[in-house]
Amino acid sequence: MGIAVREAATDLLHYINHSPSPYHAVSEAVKVLRKSGYTRLEEHKEWSLKPGGQYFLTRNSSTLIAFALGEKFTPGNGCQIIGAHTDSPCLRVKQRSKHESVGYSQVRCECYGGGIWATWFDRDLKLAGKVMVRGEGGSISARLAHIDQPLLHIPTLAIHLDRTVNEAFKFNKEEHLLPVLGLVEKELEGMPVEKKLTGVEKQQAPFHTHHTPKLVALLADNIGCKVDEILGFDLCLADYTPAGFCGLNNEFLMAPRQDNLVNAWAGLRALADFKTTSSTTAAVLCLYDHEEVGSQSAHGAGTELTNLVLRRISENKMEFCIPQSFLLSADQVHAVHPNYASKHEAGFQPALNGGVAIKHNSNQRYATTAAGAAMIRELARRNSIPLQEVMVRNDSPCGSTIGPIISANTAIRTVDLGCPQLSMHSIREMGGANDPYHAVRLYSAFYEQFGAIDAVTCDDGALDDE
């Protein structure tokens, strides 16, 4: 593993470790952008964009769109866009989370996305997310919370009480995915007696009263406010074990949320390194929330946000901008599994450390076209960047990404691709240590050189005389 490759993987692990929630993923991205000279824009205000300028905006603190205008950019020119997502399957604290059972204090959680929930058992779990706080004069502001300690745990049932557990590990997501927070503290231990609320009183009680007092106190201490100033939150449970290297030669990455922080990070690195000098295009990075639950929200890829931003970049010359624009929908790929090789299409078996893989699906689960794939292959060839391809078996379901959603909403040409990994949607996923470096190289080349390849590619019109 070369120094550049190792440095890239180490930087990615740092990003993942500091991004236990979509809100943190965006916050960490903002830090990188600000360090690179990017300026925040407000959606509700007028924008004054200039060639060579670098800008970003956020929505819900969990979605980010950043862009750099080439110094020779003129409104109506094309945009080279990389899209990824900030969310991952996880357990999220319910808005009324307090629960007690046979002397244990527990936290009620909701399953977010399609996680492999069995992997959440017997793991030390921490808590992170966004908290809404009442300030002076009745103001309300968002704060980031990250309780970085082994706080919660979901214990399995002993094999002595379930002899069939190794045949089929079955559990009820509502009853058995209840993390243990601690032991119930009795009044005789010095704790004040809580008033038992019923009916209307319970419905109208302050937000913090619906959660275990010590948990809310810990949260308030973490963000520096009073308990009764907490008006709401969106809190994710996350694996406490830090991301790191693994394997005989440290050739693997073991980390949570590689789907899809790997591509969010790689796109971010590529944009931060983008040189606006002599460029005629706009380099755009879109990091959306809610991909894991369908993208249909005010800050998901299904929103009008993409079009709204592109309209302002192009100064309402969308009819010229869109045909010249191109999107890389960057999301993780299933690497071939050594123990389940038969689950993969025999002719397409992406390998860890083999580079980014282009995704294909004729039924439009992915938005890749023949022309788009050809241009990305040529981009990789010119820069000696390894590239792989993937299709699923006919007897296997095919997932989807933000690619078809954005492509359909904007009419922008799109290629779906991403880095291979194992254990997708597990609490701890396995990836290749070399692939982050390959991804950054490919995405950087896309920002810098794709326009030149697009200019010499003839798709529409090429078959007129055939």
Side-chain angles (χ1 to χ4, degrees):
M1 188 186 304
I3 293 178
V5 176
R6 178 78 181 203
E7 287 178 349
T10 300
D11 191 58
L12 168 62
L13 294 178
H14 178 274
Y15 180 69
I16 291 175
N17 283 331
H18 287 78
S19 301
S21 77
Y23 307 105
H24 289 82
V26 167
S27 177
E28 290 298 307
V30 168
K31 292 176 185 177
V32 173
L33 293 171
R34 286 196 181 280
K35 189 175 180 179
S36 298
Y38 281 71
T39 301
R40 176 182 282 277
L41 298 171
E42 301 293 342
E43 285 189 73
H44 63 283
K45 295 181 179 179
E46 292 289 337
W47 294 358
S48 180
L49 306 180
K50 299 178 181 179
Q54 300 170 304
Y55 310 95
F56 74 92
L57 61 102
T58 61
R59 172 80 72 89
N60 189 53
S61 299
S62 60
T63 287
L64 176 144
I65 296 182
F67 56 93
L69 304 180
E71 291 185 0
K72 295 184 179 181
F73 174 85
T74 57
N77 285 7
C79 298
Q80 318 304 343
I81 308 167
I82 294 175
H85 63 90
T86 60
D87 63 321
S88 301
C90 68
L91 297 178
R92 297 200 175 192
V93 178
K94 288 187 175 182
Q95 297 302 296
R96 294 184 176 180
S97 69
K98 185 178 179 181
H99 181 76
E100 294 178 0
S101 177
V102 293
Y104 291 96
S105 176
Q106 295 178 277
V107 177
R108 291 188 177 275
C109 294
E110 182 177 25
C111 296
Y112 175 86
I116 305 178
W117 303 120
T119 64
W120 287 71
F121 285 81
D122 294 333
R123 303 289 302 187
D124 293 334
L125 304 170
K126 61 181 180 179
L127 206 56
K130 181 174 74 172
V131 183
M132 302 306 299
V133 178
R134 181 197 299 112
E136 295 182 4
S139 64
I140 301 174
S141 62
R143 299 187 191 178
L144 283 178
H146 185 185
I147 303 177
D148 194 11
Q149 66 184 70
L151 184 67
L152 300 152
H153 198 90
I154 307 174
T156 49
L157 183 65
I159 192 171
H160 313 80
L161 304 178
D162 181 9
R163 293 293 182 179
T164 67
V165 67
N166 286 325
E167 299 170 14
F169 180 36
K170 296 181 180 180
F171 54 91
N172 182 289
K173 289 187 288 186
E174 178 66 20
E175 297 177 2
H176 303 145
L177 272 179
L178 274 169
V180 172
L181 177 65
L183 296 174
V184 175
E185 295 180 308
K186 306 297 183 181
E187 291 77 20
L188 57 85
E189 296 172 348
M191 296 295 293
V193 177
E194 281 189 75
K195 179 184 177 182
K196 300 298 182 182
L197 303 178
T198 58
V200 176
E201 278 188 323
K202 188 173 183 179
Q203 292 294 332
Q204 297 179 349
F207 179 80
H208 68 87
T209 62
H210 298 291
H211 308 276
T212 302
K214 274 208 165 183
L215 176 61
V216 181
L218 185 62
L219 185 63
D221 182 66
N222 184 262
I223 62 176
C225 75
K226 298 178 181 177
V227 167
D228 60 4
E229 291 174 338
I230 295 177
L231 300 180
F233 56 55
D234 183 11
L235 296 177
C236 305
L237 275 65
D239 187 12
Y240 174 72
T241 306
F245 292 95
C246 179
L248 190 62
N249 299 301
N250 285 329
E251 61 263 59
F252 305 127
L253 299 180
M254 300 303 301
R257 302 178 297 281
Q258 291 191 57
D259 173 22
N260 188 31
L261 293 186
V262 170
N263 292 290
W265 167 87
L268 176 65
R269 280 286 303 268
L271 184 66
D273 293 340
F274 175 67
K275 302 294 187 272
T276 60
T277 307
S278 75
S279 176
T280 61
T281 64
V284 183
L285 175 67
C286 300
L287 305 181
Y288 299 99
D289 196 1
H290 291 163
E291 188 274 345
E292 297 293 356
V293 292
S295 297
Q296 300 302 311
S297 71
H299 32 281
T303 181
E304 275 293 301
L305 181 60
T306 310
N307 279 325
L308 293 175
V309 172
L310 293 180
R311 186 173 293 118
R312 297 178 81 165
I313 291 175
S314 68
E315 296 185 3
N316 290 315
K317 296 182 178 179
M318 292 280 278
E319 66 273 26
F320 302 106
C321 172
I322 294 300
Q324 300 178 81
S325 297
F326 201 93
L327 167 69
L328 293 186
S329 169
D331 204 349
Q332 292 292 84
V333 169
H334 296 294
V336 62
H337 197 300
N339 301 338
Y340 301 91
S342 62
K343 292 289 186 180
H344 302 265
E345 215 280 0
F348 298 88
Q349 299 190 337
L352 297 182
N353 293 324
V356 171
I358 298 176
K359 305 178 183 181
H360 302 272
N361 184 265
S362 300
N363 296 298
Q364 297 305 297
R365 298 296 288 171
Y366 302 132
T368 305
T369 63
M375 288 190 283
I376 297 304
R377 293 187 191 111
E378 177 62 13
L379 180 68
R381 185 196 67 80
R382 292 186 184 186
N383 293 275
S384 299
I385 300 171
L387 194 65
Q388 306 185 82
E389 317 248 348
V390 64
M391 294 185 79
V392 301
R393 292 168 55 101
N394 284 318
D395 57 0
S396 176
C398 181
S400 191
T401 68
I402 62 174
I405 295 172
I406 298 176
S407 183
N409 285 348
T410 64
I412 292 176
R413 297 167 297 161
T414 302
V415 160
D416 273 291
L417 42 64
C419 293
Q421 71 165 78
L422 296 170
S423 304
M424 190 178 293
H425 288 195
S426 169
I427 193 173
R428 198 162 179 84
E429 300 167 328
M430 184 175 182
N434 295 357
D435 289 327
Y437 172 74
H438 298 319
V440 172
R441 288 192 62 215
L442 182 64
Y443 300 164
S444 293
F446 172 72
Y447 280 145
E448 301 278 355
Q449 304 171 27
F450 183 81
I453 295 175
D454 195 14
V456 298
T457 300
C458 184
D459 185 8
D460 293 294
L463 304 181
D464 289 356
D465 298 326
E466 292 293 319

